[in-house]
Amino acid sequence: MLRKQMVIAGNVGADHAIFEQGASAGNVGNDKLLEQKTANPVALLLSSAMMLRHLQFPSFADRLETAVKWVISESHYRTKDLGGTSTTQEVVDAVIGALD
């Protein structure tokens, strides 16, 4: 269940690279998610870790991945799609707290 909600992507070329979260068609442009502030930030955070690794900052990538994984598995901060009631900001704040 959790992996389904955390699709990440990286497109790497000779001169450029783009890292992004995967999104289901039902979430793209969903004003309700924006209004309720309940979008799941996990995939974006994990694709950021992928970018850090690509930029040759593996220790920063590892720290971010570890913090995200801890928050979704051990803390009580999860967005609705992951079985919780937290807002996007609460999840991000929990990840930032786990980085410290």
Side-chain angles (χ1 to χ4, degrees):
M1 159 86 176
L2 293 180
R3 290 178 191 218
K4 179 181 171 188
Q5 304 300 331
M6 297 180 284
V7 178
I8 61 175
N11 298 299
V12 179
D15 298 319
H16 305 284
I18 297 171
F19 300 89
E20 58 191 334
Q21 68 183 32
S24 70
N27 291 333
V28 175
N30 186 333
D31 291 335
K32 188 175 181 181
L33 286 176
L34 180 62
E35 189 177 296
Q36 295 176 348
K37 300 177 184 346
T38 57
N40 183 345
V42 170
L44 184 60
L45 293 168
L46 291 177
S47 64
S48 298
M50 183 187 288
M51 178 188 66
L52 288 167
R53 192 162 279 109
H54 173 75
L55 294 171
Q56 299 181 2
F57 293 107
S59 62
F60 292 118
D62 291 344
R63 283 185 61 213
L64 181 55
E65 284 178 347
T66 299
V68 169
K69 289 175 184 178
W70 182 85
V71 167
I72 61 173
S73 65
E74 302 295 331
S75 80
H76 64 272
Y77 294 101
R78 290 187 198 98
T79 50
K80 185 176 180 179
D81 61 322
L82 296 178
T85 59
S86 303
T87 65
T88 305
Q89 191 63 55
E90 288 170 335
V91 173
V92 171
D93 289 344
V95 171
I96 291 169
L99 285 170
D100 293 337

